[in-house]
Amino acid sequence: RLAIAIGEAELPHHRGGVWFVDLTAVSSGAEVPSAIANSLGLNLVSGDATVQILTFLADKDALVILDNCEHVIDEAAAFVEAFLATNNPAKILATSREAFDIDGERVVVLGSLATDTADSPGVRLFVDRATAVHPEFTLTDTNTATVSAICTRLDGMPLAIELAAARITVMNPDELLAGLDHRFQLLSGGRRRSRQRTLEATLDWSYDLLEPEEQRVFRALGVFVDGFDLDAVTAVTGLDRRRATGHIETLQAKSLLVRADKRKATRFRLLETVKAYAEDRLVDAAEAETIRDRHLAHFHALAMADGRRVLGSLDVGLRLRHDCPNITTAFEWAADRDNWIVAGELLTASWSAYYLDVRFSEIRAALVRVGVQVADLDPDLHGCINTQRFAASMMLSDLEVGIAAVYELTRSPLAVIRAVGWACVAWLNAFIAPENVDGLLAKSAKERSEGTESAERSSDAQAVAGTWALWATEVVTLMSGDFERSRNLSRELARTCRYVDAVIFVVAAAVADVMLGQPETALATVAPLDELDLPFMDGSEVRVLAHLALGNTDTALGHLRRLATRAATGVYQSESDDAMLMFAALAHHEGDRETARRFLLDARQGRQPGTIAFGRHLARMLGIADAFAKQSQVEMGVVGSMKPLRAELARRGWD
């Protein structure tokens, strides 16, 4: 809480921003760089992750907050040590129960809350938490000294005070104090050690007051990472929903878990210290293996609800978009037990969830790992893995790795997977060498025919091969300027396809609407994207173009500002290209052709068929079609528009 407050206070003083990196959900030290990169909005490509992060920060007056470092202390310290060696203008603030013990570190030890008077912070915290669960409780002349004594015996530790205050529903202050007298014996060995043992004893005390089944539920919750919902609780505990819900309500009332809703989803989580305690009790009870098996089975079943899907199901992605840390944890458990088929199915079937949560670097690294293990065991699953490696690499603008993955598909022992591969190659060529597309699609069709004749089992791969082929055809049509046919193809694809990637064709259809002089239709076309609540690809570009066409310049500026400031975070790398395209569109609308040309060339390639096609259309109108096409081919897969984007944001005062 203090780190967040400092970050909020420091925000106006750091032009490079304040970035909060929550390491609570990181289960392995190896994941520290990717967690930092994700919070910074940096999509990692092949190579040393720490070097990429330090390069990103090299010219930024930023404050980076690393929160909850203690369980990954060695890796966090190694990152900070590398950071300090760069003489970087940025600053790092870390919170941890253990110091890094590195040169350049300045340690601030946080003191306890004062507890000596009725108005002291510790006593006020107790009263606040007590009245939250028992509104009739009040601080009086007769109980003030007792409450102060309780808080003092708890060393003024906020979590311990909160847990004790939650007991006020079943004990009065005198009984609470007596319970502490029985439970807490301060140990020798220094104040720091005593504080840690006091907190552990407080948790012991709260745990001992639970009924046996409540204890079992509480222990099981230690398996979750970064939250859970009620369905997950019923799955890992084996209880029916009514009983599980009742226990969750009890644990929440006793301050052992908190409500942590995300978007429209009802979710809960354990505080970090409480989670660690629950995990310890799970191991002590010899239940860890059983609960982890149930955890894996639950998320595997949810992921596989629509069976094996080469590109993952949009419906599954929407269901699991908040559970990527749990899926990663379940994947690691399956991998540790060499259950690679289940691990691969869990990961590939969850592809859409990682896509929707913008975790392309994370899932690609896991796909590479599991792909090596299943290549010979299950060629069909291996085909799913390589298709998603290709898709993730495209989202990361990492063309080299993406091409390597797609050509692996064309060498699969399964004809139907080879069909997917050649269709993907055709899609790539649709942007840079459309004259090759027909021949490549013919190869794909031939492989699809052979796959059907040999009764290969992945009917979904057949569908994906056909879908990629249609995507390639749509892109060729769109790039040629045949907006009427392109719009019809895009709408058909968007309507019939339940792959998350099909969102790009909603946008493509809407861009075609604008090009055909129908901006109102374009706005109606992208309106359904609001229901998906996507962190990117939400139709912002279409709204800018449509409102410019309608003469609603102020409204267009509002959408452009949201798009550009989001793009500047780098969460989705290529979004900066589209933001610069929209700045070019705005300049052209305002009659500033020279600025429009400059912005258009700064935009490079663009990130999706609709905006790429618009960029080429605008380049033709501005008389720079050849220069734009040449640069787009050279720069494909390279993000070069972030610097001019941030410069334009600064010029407008939008940074």
Side-chain angles (χ1 to χ4, degrees):
R1 292 176 184 175
L2 180 58
I4 290 172
I6 291 171
E8 290 172 345
E10 286 293 305
L11 189 57
H13 307 299
H14 292 275
R15 290 182 60 83
V18 175
W19 308 86
F20 186 84
V21 184
D22 183 3
L23 296 177
T24 304
V26 174
S27 57
S28 166
E31 299 171 19
V32 168
S34 61
I36 296 172
N38 190 54
S39 296
L40 291 174
L42 174 63
N43 282 313
L44 300 174
V45 295
S46 302
D48 189 303
T50 296
V51 171
Q52 294 176 59
I53 296 168
L54 297 181
T55 301
F56 176 78
L57 291 172
D59 60 350
K60 294 177 178 60
D61 174 23
L63 172 64
V64 180
I65 300 174
L66 304 181
D67 192 52
N68 284 315
C69 298
E70 54 271 5
H71 63 300
V72 287
I73 192 70
D74 292 336
E75 292 79 5
F79 172 83
V80 175
E81 200 162 27
F83 169 87
L84 291 173
T86 64
N87 197 27
N88 200 300
K91 300 286 189 298
I92 288 182
L93 171 67
T95 73
S96 177
R97 291 198 299 271
E98 181 179 354
F100 287 150
D101 192 24
I102 59 177
D103 291 337
E105 178 182 22
R106 297 189 180 188
V107 178
V108 178
V109 179
L110 301 184
S112 301
L113 299 178
T115 61
D116 53 339
T117 67
D119 195 48
S120 61
V123 173
R124 283 192 284 115
L125 176 62
F126 182 97
V127 174
D128 179 72
R129 297 300 186 265
T131 54
V133 296
H134 185 47
E136 291 76 23
F137 176 79
T138 58
L139 197 64
T140 67
D141 292 339
T142 57
N143 66 16
T144 297
T146 305
V147 170
S148 177
I150 292 170
C151 297
T152 300
R153 297 298 293 273
L154 294 174
D155 274 355
M157 298 168 63
L159 177 58
I161 291 171
E162 290 188 21
L163 292 171
R167 302 278 77 74
I168 206 70
T169 57
V170 292
M171 295 181 179
N172 62 40
D174 290 327
E175 290 170 330
L176 282 172
L177 184 58
L180 295 179
D181 280 334
H182 173 71
R183 258 303 187 179
F184 301 111
Q185 301 296 323
L186 293 180
L187 304 177
S188 60
R191 181 164 179 77
R192 179 179 176 188
R193 179 60 180 162
S194 298
R195 284 172 51 77
Q196 292 173 336
R197 291 303 300 267
T198 299
L199 180 56
E200 183 179 1
T202 303
L203 289 166
D204 281 338
W205 181 49
S206 292
Y207 179 74
D208 289 345
L209 288 174
L210 298 175
E211 297 296 327
E213 190 168 84
E214 291 171 349
Q215 290 180 342
R216 185 167 68 83
V217 172
F218 172 71
R219 293 194 298 267
L221 299 182
V223 75
F224 294 111
V225 181
D226 198 30
F228 50 87
D229 59 22
L230 288 171
D231 288 339
V233 176
T234 62
V236 301
T237 62
L239 299 175
D240 61 54
R241 191 179 181 86
R242 181 185 63 80
R243 288 168 66 193
T245 300
H247 291 316
I248 292 299
E249 290 174 347
T250 298
L251 294 173
Q252 184 179 6
K254 294 180 178 180
S255 294
L256 289 170
L257 62 82
V258 295
R259 185 86 173 256
D261 293 354
K262 290 189 176 180
R263 295 186 175 94
K264 299 177 182 178
T266 301
R267 293 178 66 81
F268 305 88
R269 69 178 179 88
L270 299 178
L271 297 177
E272 188 263 340
T273 302
V274 177
K275 171 180 161 53
Y277 180 88
E279 287 183 289
D280 287 344
R281 299 292 76 75
L282 191 63
V283 172
D284 291 345
E287 297 168 348
E289 185 171 331
T290 298
I291 296 301
R292 291 190 180 281
D293 284 344
R294 290 177 180 175
H295 180 267
L296 169 61
H298 172 66
F299 286 106
H300 180 262
L302 289 179
M304 293 292 288
D306 289 344
R308 280 193 182 178
R309 302 292 292 270
V310 174
L311 285 178
S313 161
L314 175 58
D315 292 333
V316 168
L318 291 170
R319 171 67 179 81
L320 290 177
R321 67 190 302 179
H322 306 309
D323 274 309
C324 291
N326 278 312
I327 295 166
T328 299
T329 298
F331 167 78
E332 293 292 346
W333 178 246
D336 287 347
R337 296 163 70 81
D338 290 327
N339 195 350
W340 291 107
I341 299 301
V342 169
E345 286 184 337
L346 171 67
L347 202 64
T348 56
S350 303
W351 155 254
S352 294
Y354 286 84
Y355 183 111
L356 291 170
D357 208 32
V358 201
R359 292 173 176 260
F360 303 119
S361 297
E362 179 180 341
I363 190 159
R364 186 175 69 171
L367 288 168
V368 170
R369 181 178 166 195
V370 73
V372 173
Q373 301 294 333
V374 305
D376 297 326
L377 295 174
D378 193 328
D380 178 74
L381 181 57
H382 192 240
C384 297
I385 289 167
N386 278 330
T387 303
Q388 292 173 14
R389 279 181 57 206
F390 165 65
S393 297
M394 291 298 97
M395 301 303 285
L396 291 168
S397 299
D398 193 345
L399 192 62
E400 182 180 351
V401 173
I403 289 176
V406 82
Y407 275 103
E408 272 196 64
L409 289 169
T410 65
R411 296 189 292 270
S412 171
L414 299 181
V416 69
I417 298 300
R418 296 196 297 272
V420 172
W422 288 117
C424 291
V425 175
W427 182 81
L428 280 173
N429 276 263
F431 293 97
I432 56 176
E435 66 276 8
N436 297 336
V437 169
D438 287 344
L440 293 166
L441 291 181
K443 283 187 177 182
S444 179
K446 181 175 181 295
E447 299 287 12
R448 286 178 68 196
S449 176
E450 291 183 9
T452 302
E453 291 171 2
S454 63
E456 290 173 351
R457 68 184 179 85
S458 181
S459 60
D460 181 62
Q462 286 276 0
V464 169
T467 298
W468 277 106
L470 285 174
W471 287 358
T473 302
E474 192 278 343
V475 170
V476 170
T477 305
L478 184 62
M479 299 306 162
S480 72
D482 187 351
F483 296 119
E484 183 71 41
R485 182 169 178 239
S486 169
R487 177 175 64 178
N488 294 338
L489 276 171
S490 293
R491 284 184 175 163
E492 182 64 23
L493 281 162
R495 182 168 54 251
T496 61
C497 181
R498 289 302 290 171
Y499 302 117
V500 68
D501 307 64
V503 169
I504 65 174
F505 294 104
V506 176
V507 175
V511 170
D513 287 330
V514 174
M515 297 299 98
L516 292 168
Q518 299 173 21
E520 296 94 342
T521 305
L523 292 172
T525 299
V526 296
L529 295 181
D530 294 338
E531 298 177 11
L532 297 180
D533 194 20
L534 298 174
F536 62 100
M537 283 195 181
D538 58 354
S540 292
E541 307 88 340
V542 172
R543 292 176 169 97
V544 172
L545 296 176
H547 283 293
L548 287 177
L550 290 167
N552 303 329
T553 305
D554 288 345
T555 304
L557 275 171
H559 288 292
L560 177 52
R561 182 170 186 170
R562 281 189 289 275
L563 168 66
T565 52
R566 183 179 69 203
T569 67
V571 170
Y572 178 30
Q573 258 179 299
S574 300
E575 198 168 40
S576 60
D577 295 354
D578 283 355
M580 291 309 300
L581 284 173
M582 295 306 105
F583 276 123
L586 175 63
H588 181 258
H589 175 76
E590 294 173 339
D592 188 349
R593 292 171 62 86
E594 186 57 38
T595 298
R597 290 189 185 98
R598 176 166 56 86
F599 284 161
L600 190 59
L601 292 177
D602 283 339
R604 302 298 203 275
Q605 169 71 12
R607 68 182 172 125
Q608 54 183 304
T611 50
I612 293 170
F614 168 75
R616 295 183 182 185
H617 172 74
L618 183 57
R620 288 192 292 270
M621 290 196 294
L622 293 170
I624 56 171
D626 290 343
F628 184 71
K630 181 179 180 181
Q631 177 169 273
S632 295
Q633 290 190 24
V634 171
E635 297 290 345
M636 187 174 183
V638 178
V639 180
S641 53
M642 188 63 79
K643 186 174 181 179
L645 170 62
R646 287 177 172 154
E648 180 61 14
L649 288 175
R651 189 187 72 81
R652 291 177 175 270
W654 289 359
D655 58 345

